[in-house]
């Protein structure tokens, strides 16, 4: 949608969706008045951002990438001291929002596989373009009202190509990694002379598979030092189901985790998805498949006759449906309290 203009006055802010960029950017639900289109508007508060190059890099890179599973930027502009970016409204929010609000114990396997296919399509594209994402996690995978998953969070990305040459490994460590630590590969975290490459993103994909299946990412709540130690020594996270949760001789859970529910203990994920997660989380990058190779995995044949993702995500309701019946009232900012009651502000929208 290239007809969105760069006049801030043409965007009527409805409510805040969330924050990103370590609280230095605000994402809002807005209406582009001339086209009567609902969009997401991200405002970078430049007075709070020390390194303006990070904002420049993200905007420039996003305008260069063109793929159906990568969040597009419709337009960007400067108004006063702030920079604004306009993108489509991703009505289901992020996958982390879905886990937090509706699926605390994880998504069903079919939903995971559909999201995973879209994520790998996007990842295959950017790897072939010569970039490593370095921030693959559920909060950076947004879902549209039609059930299409889109990758975002490109401010952490880095090029693989240097001076026109494709590098086998790189040694650039992202300046801000606190939010992404649990998802990062062991070789990236080690920061040693061996470096890392695009296979580090594949490790993060494995972490996201576990995150979507279990309801939270592996190593959640663990100290950073212990998490790194576990990764370096080859600890492989697993999907929690009947085959991986230990039981005693009476059939009761003996894992010592009182928070593991009966639903998790009794469910069963397929061998295919267990295998893919294990391949992605291999300690040695050389043995991890590429995104292109993973897309050929037999796992994706299982969703050929699957229900649409929108059906699999019920009872979650897309934001666009929640406001559609009251479009005329959106013009009146008095409806702000109505949107607040819908708990729009609980969304992560960290992109």
């Amino acid at each position: 949608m290239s007809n969105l203009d760069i006049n801030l006055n043409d965007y009527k802010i409805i409510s805040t969706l969330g924050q990103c960029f370590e609280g230095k950017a605000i994402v809002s639900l807005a209406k582009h008045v001339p086209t009567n289109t609902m969009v997401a508007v991200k405002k970078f508060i430049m007075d709070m951002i020390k390194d303006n190059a990070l904002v420049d890099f993200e905007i420039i890179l996003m305008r260069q990438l063109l793929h159906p599973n990568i969040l597009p930027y419709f337009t960007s502009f400067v108004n006063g001291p702030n920079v604004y970016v306009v993108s489509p409204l991703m009505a289901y929010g992020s996958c982390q929002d879905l886990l937090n609000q509706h699926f605390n114990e994880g998504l069903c396997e079919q939903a995971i596989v559909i999201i995973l296919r879209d994520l790998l399509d996007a990842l295959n594209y950017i790897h072939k373009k010569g970039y490593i994402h370095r921030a693959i996690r559920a909060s950076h995978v947004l879902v549209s009202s039609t059930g299409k998953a889109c990758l975002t969070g490109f401010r952490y990305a880095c090029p693989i190509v240097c001076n026109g040459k494709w590098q086998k490994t790189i040694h650039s460590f992202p300046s801000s990694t606190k939010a992404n630590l649990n998802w990062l590969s062991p070789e990236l975290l080690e920061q040693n002379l061996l470096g890392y490459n695009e296979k580090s993103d594949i490790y993060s994909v494995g972490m996201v598979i576990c995150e979507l299946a279990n309801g939270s990412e592996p190593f959640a709540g663990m100290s950073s030092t212990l998490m790194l130690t576990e990764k370096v020594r080859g600890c492989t996270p697993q999907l929690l189901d009947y085959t991986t949760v230990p039981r005693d001789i009476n059939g009761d859970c003996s894992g010592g985790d009182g928070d593991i529910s009966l639903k998790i203990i009794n469910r069963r994920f397929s061998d295919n998805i267990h295998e893919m997660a294990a391949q992605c989380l291999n300690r040695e990058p050389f043995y991890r498949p590429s995104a292109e190779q993973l897309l050929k995995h037999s796992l994706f044949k299982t969703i050929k006759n699957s229900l649409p993702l929108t059906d699999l995500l019920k009872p979650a309701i897309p934001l666009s449906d929640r406001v559609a019946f009251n479009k005329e009232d959106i013009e009146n900012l008095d409806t702000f309290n109505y949107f607040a009651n819908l708990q729009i502000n609980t969304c992560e929208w960290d992109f």
Side-chain angles (χ1 to χ4, degrees), residues 240 245 253 255 257-262 264-265:
L240 299 180
V245 176
C253 175
D257 188 347
D259 294 331
I260 297 179
S261 71
L262 288 174
I264 291 177
I265 295 172

Side-chain angles (χ1 to χ4, degrees), residues 273-306:
I273 196 168
H274 275 288
E275 178 188 41
M276 179 174 286
Q279 289 177 343
C280 293
L281 293 167
N282 195 302
R283 172 66 178 87
E284 298 301 324
F286 178 81
Y287 295 109
R288 294 175 206 149
S290 66
E292 185 174 25
Q293 290 171 328
L294 286 171
L295 284 167
K296 298 176 183 177
H297 196 283
S298 56
L299 174 66
F300 296 108
K301 295 179 181 178
T302 64
I303 57 171
K304 185 176 181 180
N305 299 314
S306 171

Side-chain angles (χ1 to χ4, degrees), residues 184-237:
L184 294 179
S185 66
E187 68 271 14
L188 196 159
L189 291 171
E190 284 181 295
Q191 301 186 60
N192 58 29
L193 295 177
L194 295 176
Y196 62 94
N197 57 25
E198 65 272 18
K199 292 291 187 70
S200 63
D201 279 344
I202 301 301
Y203 182 94
S204 299
V205 169
M207 296 292 285
V208 169
I209 295 174
C210 293
E211 183 179 11
L212 296 180
N214 301 338
S216 62
E217 80 278 10
F219 309 114
M222 186 179 292
S223 70
S224 298
T225 302
L226 182 57
M227 176 271 296
L228 176 59
T229 301
E230 291 293 294
K231 286 185 179 182
V232 170
R233 73 181 184 87
C235 175
T236 303

Side-chain angles (χ1 to χ4, degrees), residues 149-170:
C150 289
L151 180 61
T152 183
F154 283 86
R155 62 186 173 276
Y156 303 100
C158 68
I160 310 171
V161 179
C162 181
N163 297 324
K165 295 183 179 179
W166 197 283
Q167 307 298 302
K168 291 184 178 180
T169 59
I170 63 173

Side-chain angles (χ1 to χ4, degrees), residues 234-254:
C235 175
T236 303
Q238 294 180 316
L239 309 184
L240 299 180
D241 70 0
Y242 184 86
T243 65
T244 58
V245 176
R247 291 166 173 263
D248 60 25
I249 57 175
N250 297 316
D252 297 324
C253 175
S254 59

Side-chain angles (χ1 to χ4, degrees), residues 24 44 49 80 92 94 111 133 172 185 208 211 216 241 277 304 330:
K24 299 169 186 175
F44 292 96
I49 300 174
Y92 281 98
S94 73
H133 189 277
S172 170
S185 66
V208 169
E211 183 179 11
S216 62
D241 70 0
K304 185 176 181 180
I330 291 175

